[in-house]
Amino acid sequence: MNQSSSDQALQIGIQHYRAGRLAEAEAVYRQILATPGDHPDALHYLGVIAARVGQNHAAAELFGKAASLKSDWAQAHNNHGVALRQIGQADQAIDAFQRAIALAPDYPEALSNLASALRSRGRLDEAIAAYRRALALKGDYADAHYNLGNALAELGELEQAIAAYRQAVALRGDWAAAWNNLGLALKNRGQSDEAIACFRRAIACNTNLPEAHSNLGNAFHDQRLLDEAIAEYGTAIALRPNYAEAYSNLGVSLSDQHRLDEAVSAFRRAIELEPGYADAYTNLGSALKDQGALDEAIAAYRQAIVLKPAAPQAHSNLLYALHFHAGWSAKAIADEHRLWNRSHAGPLKGLIQPHDNNRDPNRRLRIGYVSPDFRDHPVGRLILPLLSHHDKGQFEIFAYADVKCPDELTSRLRDCTDVWRNTAGLSDAQMANLIRADQIDILIDLTMHMANNRLLVFARKPAPVQATYLAYASSTGLDTIDYRLSDPYLDPPGGDESVYIEKTIRLPQTYWCYEPGIAAREIGPLPALVNGYVTFGCLNNFCKVSEPALAAWAEILRATPASQLLLHAHEGSHRQRVVDYFDRQGVAAGRVQFAGFLPPEIYFDLYSQIDIALDTFPYGGGTTTLDALWMGVPVVSLAGKTAVGRGGLSILSNLGLEVLAADSGEGYIRVACDLASDPQCLLALRGALRERLQQSPLMDAPRFAVNMESAYRQMWRAWTGS
């Protein structure tokens, strides 16, 4: 076959290929190859056919031979790279794309393919540069806009990713995947309304896209539209019955609806479908913790850590859960915190830069507060009095708010600050850079190891002085956090402070400054005088209800005839577990009642049914204790061996009622029983507690702010060396 005949045969093969007659096209190309000479074109087109039918190894071999025979053919090198990527040879693909670009610098498809290969190898900055070069050559290249958005989103550059996705959907309005990814970027940036609209567009473009339904469910979840979220997860699962991520997402929304048994089942199903799914184990651990099944929760967290050791959240959840477990000492908890620090914060030490803040010890200081809970949340409620009373002449207040669903309290908190930064969607590195650019002098963590913490921001040390406060009275374990705030009751002077990495600064009176969550509600009559029996109550989170606490409560009930116990516990099998436990201890089932989730106004009214509140241990109450006292209900507490176990002692001591804080389990039982046997004392306390609280340091916000600011000035002067 001469050259002319060969060219004619190639054209015939191309016509067959374009008409979809692949077998006829392949026969023509093989006939050409059977003739003497080199035929790179025929090899190339055979490679195109092989790629089209999914024979990627054959395609890679054919394109490679064609490119070798015709080394100046940019398209052959490009297609060789595409096939190499398909068979997992990303580095060789990068070489092939680079050869194509060297031959044809204005080849946007090769640049885009190179970028995708670079991205697959984690070389995001190079990938983004290559996508941008492709788009400079071909501005209407929808695929390059979309893939640029993916790379930017992976890098955490959400604003730029959103812009890239918008270009993609502007060019191709029916592109479901692009609408879906645009929605994801918007959701992660905290723009959930726009995200919901994008997910709906994705579903309109492709009703059989389970990812879009699951993501729409996540956006609804962010807006606390839990019924809508659960419905979308159900649709995603119906479309893809083995969709482990949708089951895990479903479990999270069920947990937030306090349907814990169903949530546990959803998480277990996700794990059954995907045994290596670390996040599902993390979520399972949290649901089990909320059920009070601490041993099982800890085991789930540990499995998540094994599966995903570089991810800090499961390890953070484990640390927080250990505080609730009666079998863990302060030293053992501290050791686990140090392990977290070595594993997750330690590798970031090389990113810490010197600070050039003005070292004047007396100047106005910039204080930055970091929290995802600047909203209707115990942290939001307790930080409000401080933010409301800061001396703005001496302190400029910044808030770094990771709030995805702001509410009325968010607005009140924002009004108390000088600068409000919405950090939702920012990576830890971006947030650290923002804080450093703001020249913050003292940065305050308000979350510790609770959900959505930003401890890896603090690990980068963006401010010269860093401290932790309010989330719970313990330690972060980070050696980049210099101080922890406490008080003389949580951490008595002379105690063992080796369990904290941070230096402890004790506020002179109280760790807490209280403001009721709602307008003043009338305190009702003493229930015992109406009912003829005493009602004990505990409205703390159920995860704080330990077996030692249940044992003490059972003894109190046995010693107090006809008494009742009202517990805060969401519906589920854990309620029956409590009833069965009391039954084994000789306390009839009818003497134990439960209250599930209640809106604030009904929650506060619930105290009208309680004569005496029983604090939990080893992790006691904080906000709940203050709420009970506000409603005239005395709280019996046990001063524990860790700071989180001495919250009741701190609060009661600031009221002059330290007599209600026992130092032993036997003393705890005795105090509760003695109080139950003295209705006149209960009546007097019910009438006096609110005023006592109002006149105490616990509600003296101006004095509390002065004390906190004095602590800040002490920290600052230590850093300046003055």
Side-chain angles (χ1 to χ4, degrees), residues 99-348:
R99 283 193 289 273
I101 294 162
L103 292 165
D106 295 341
Y107 193 170
E109 290 79 10
L111 283 162
S112 182
N113 290 334
L114 170 63
S116 296
L118 290 166
R119 179 182 166 224
S120 73
R121 301 300 289 164
R123 295 161 64 178
L124 292 178
D125 289 331
E126 295 173 79
I128 289 167
Y131 284 131
R132 294 198 189 283
R133 284 178 61 195
L135 289 166
L137 295 167
K138 186 179 178 182
D140 62 351
Y141 194 174
D143 285 348
H145 284 294
Y146 171 73
N147 288 322
L148 173 61
N150 291 338
L152 289 164
E154 192 173 342
L155 197 62
E157 297 289 349
L158 292 183
E159 294 294 348
Q160 294 182 58
I162 288 166
Y165 290 135
R166 289 196 192 283
Q167 289 289 332
V169 296
L171 291 164
R172 195 185 303 171
D174 61 349
W175 195 354
W179 283 112
N180 178 65
N181 287 10
L182 173 57
L184 270 177
L186 289 164
K187 174 194 169 297
N188 291 335
R189 193 67 187 91
Q191 298 169 237
S192 55
D193 285 336
E194 291 180 74
I196 287 169
C198 290
F199 293 135
R200 284 177 165 155
R201 285 292 298 272
I203 291 166
C205 295
N206 182 357
T207 57
N208 295 318
L209 190 64
E211 293 85 356
H213 286 284
S214 184
N215 290 333
L216 178 57
N218 291 341
F220 282 139
H221 179 270
D222 284 351
Q223 293 196 339
R224 315 309 298 162
L225 300 172
L226 299 180
D227 287 336
E228 291 86 344
I230 288 167
E232 291 300 327
Y233 299 137
T235 301
I237 290 166
L239 290 169
R240 184 185 296 165
N242 63 346
Y243 195 176
E245 184 177 350
Y247 274 106
S248 185
N249 291 339
L250 171 63
V252 172
S253 284
L254 289 168
S255 289
D256 285 356
Q257 281 196 335
H258 316 298
R259 296 159 62 181
L260 296 178
D261 288 342
E262 294 173 79
V264 167
S265 295
F267 295 135
R268 293 197 189 282
R269 177 59 177 155
I271 291 165
E272 180 183 351
L273 291 168
E274 192 175 321
Y277 192 178
D279 289 351
Y281 274 104
T282 300
N283 292 334
L284 173 62
S286 296
L288 291 168
K289 174 180 71 70
D290 289 346
Q291 288 186 315
L294 292 180
D295 287 326
E296 293 178 71
I298 289 168
Y301 290 141
R302 290 208 182 278
Q303 183 60 25
I305 294 166
V306 168
L307 292 168
K308 203 173 180 180
Q313 190 56 56
H315 204 171
S316 280
N317 289 357
L318 170 65
L319 296 185
Y320 185 47
L322 296 180
H323 291 85
F324 301 101
H325 198 293
W328 280 75
S329 68
K331 182 182 182 305
I333 293 172
D335 289 342
E336 194 73 39
H337 279 70
R338 289 186 172 90
L339 175 60
W340 191 100
N341 184 56
R342 289 195 301 272
S343 300
H344 305 293
L348 300 174

Side-chain angles (χ1 to χ4, degrees), residues 428-449:
D428 292 327
Q430 290 170 325
M431 187 169 165
N433 290 337
L434 175 62
I435 292 166
R436 179 175 285 276
D438 284 339
Q439 286 282 289
I440 296 300
D441 299 306
I442 302 175
L443 190 66
I444 310 297
D445 162 58
L446 299 176
T447 314
M448 302 183 78
H449 287 280

